[in-house]
Amino acid sequence: GWNHGISMARARRITGPYELDPQGSVLTARDDKQIELQKAGHGELVETPAGEWYLAHLASRPLGPHRQCVLGRETCLQRVGWSADGWLRLEGGGTRPQVEVAGPRGGTAQPWPVAAARDEFDRPKLDARWATLRGPADAGWLSLRARPGWLRLRGRESVHSLHDQSLVAQRLTAFTAVAETCLEFQPTDYTQSAGLICWYDTRMHYYLRVTHDAARGRVLGVALTDDGRYDELPGALDVNRWRRFFLRARIDGRRLQFSASPDRRRWRAVGPVLDASKLSDDYGQGLHFTGAFVGLCAQDLGGRRARADFDFFQLTAR
């Protein structure tokens, strides 16, 4: 929350008595709404082999005039030390979290492997970046073997369900990003849908999906739920002649634009520009702290578990 922070107390024995830090806070952003790292707190100390001290903590980066934290809780690192009288202090002084700090002075760098932006679904298991909703992936609704090189989802309950959803997603890690996938799907009823979803939770998401209309056949359009209010936006495309559906979501700060193509060459915008900042910890009702996700899902409310096959998923941060 906005009043988050880290304070310190010390004692010679674990049972006390404890002495409170005269500074009040070791780390907090509650007294300055202008700095980049807000909601700073929830810290853990680590000492390097060379005897240097760092404080790992959570924070959020607000976006726009409403200060909405689309990226949720992010992990940050501050360099700290001990004062002459034994209190923990930020190396740069004060209590405000810094965006950039010095790295360890000794030792060998151990860079984290850079993950590929594109998942071709050619492994026997989902990559660890993928998250599922409420339960682990199992063969009853997800398969990487039924069609090698493709992710197959079996449609289950609606995107508003609190129980069994066929949804996999990756966390959004940048304010500017492009997500893309290729879908093969043959819905035969309006209760069947599949596509690309920009997700916060069951009460807030934007969904570019293929479904079936009794009068038009297969259609591709945008459905959304805005703080619990469901809507289907006008302008859905007739896609009966499309063999594949290339789907794209382009996020640029507060702007989200969906588009689609039958061949990945001729792209058409689908729906209006949407407000991506609503996919945030600070919009709508309820307790929020996860940040936004982008992913793939399928529904079949008739219980027939219609299959939706995805050739790849690519999420590129910019």
Side-chain angles (χ1 to χ4, degrees):
W2 299 105
N3 289 321
H4 210 181
I6 298 171
S7 57
M8 181 181 176
R10 68 184 182 187
R12 292 293 181 184
R13 295 182 300 172
I14 194 68
T15 57
Y18 279 86
E19 175 189 7
L20 292 175
D21 185 345
Q23 183 170 279
S25 295
V26 175
L27 175 77
T28 188
R30 68 171 67 97
D31 57 348
D32 190 344
K33 295 182 179 181
Q34 304 306 314
I35 61 176
E36 184 173 350
L37 299 178
Q38 293 289 316
K39 303 182 181 180
H42 210 124
E44 297 286 352
L45 281 169
V46 61
E47 183 181 11
T48 72
E52 300 166 290
W53 287 87
Y54 284 85
L55 181 66
H57 67 94
L58 298 180
S60 292
R61 291 182 289 166
L63 178 68
H66 301 296
R67 305 180 76 211
Q68 291 168 329
C69 300
V70 176
L71 305 183
R73 301 183 298 178
E74 300 182 271
T75 304
C76 308
L77 200 63
Q78 304 297 324
R79 191 177 176 95
V80 294
W82 300 93
S83 68
D85 52 354
W87 295 103
L88 187 69
R89 295 290 181 258
L90 299 181
E91 187 180 70
T95 62
R96 298 172 182 173
Q98 302 299 308
V99 175
E100 295 185 5
V101 299
R105 297 188 179 95
T108 304
Q110 300 291 333
W112 192 263
V114 178
R118 186 180 176 102
D119 192 335
E120 297 283 2
F121 300 129
D122 53 3
R123 301 177 185 177
K125 293 176 60 177
L126 279 179
D127 186 274
R129 289 172 294 167
W130 288 101
T132 58
L133 191 60
R134 299 187 187 87
D138 66 60
W141 63 273
L142 180 150
S143 177
L144 291 164
R145 300 177 183 272
R147 185 178 180 184
W150 295 68
L151 169 67
R152 173 165 292 176
L153 297 181
R154 290 284 185 175
R156 294 193 292 173
E157 296 175 6
S158 102
V159 287
H160 304 111
S161 172
L162 299 178
H163 303 284
D164 298 322
Q165 286 207 41
S166 298
L167 187 154
V168 293
Q170 293 185 15
R171 183 174 176 175
L172 190 66
T173 59
F175 292 118
T176 302
V178 178
E180 188 177 322
T181 191
C182 173
L183 167 67
E184 289 189 2
F185 183 52
Q186 299 288 336
T188 58
D189 190 83
Y190 74 95
T191 60
Q192 299 173 343
S193 302
L196 179 67
I197 195 163
C198 295
W199 177 267
Y200 190 88
D201 60 15
T202 56
R203 294 182 56 86
M204 185 66 238
H205 50 263
Y206 300 115
Y207 186 17
L208 177 63
R209 88 279 190 260
V210 179
T211 186
H212 188 275
D213 181 275
R216 299 168 61 186
R218 280 187 294 166
V219 294
L220 193 160
V222 177
L224 63 86
T225 299
D226 186 337
D227 195 20
R229 298 180 296 274
Y230 179 76
D231 196 9
E232 296 180 6
L233 301 184
L237 307 180
D238 293 315
V239 290
N240 288 297
R241 295 185 179 182
W242 292 25
R243 189 174 70 87
R244 290 183 175 178
F245 309 97
F246 290 90
L247 309 177
R248 178 184 289 168
R250 186 180 299 275
I251 299 171
D252 186 4
R254 298 178 61 197
R255 295 169 57 89
L256 165 62
Q257 178 67 70
F258 284 121
S259 57
S261 170
D263 53 16
R264 213 183 181 195
R265 295 191 301 272
R266 298 165 293 161
W267 289 92
R268 294 179 59 179
V270 185
V273 174
L274 301 166
D275 186 354
S277 71
K278 291 183 176 182
L279 302 166
S280 74
D281 291 356
D282 308 282
Y283 178 78
Q285 304 176 48
L287 176 64
H288 301 140
F289 51 82
T290 61
F293 286 73
V294 183
L296 312 171
C297 61
Q299 298 78 39
D300 188 342
L301 308 189
R304 290 168 288 180
R305 299 207 170 194
R307 67 175 184 257
D309 290 344
F310 297 89
D311 188 22
F312 69 89
F313 178 81
Q314 182 171 309
L315 181 59
T316 307
R318 301 186 178 221

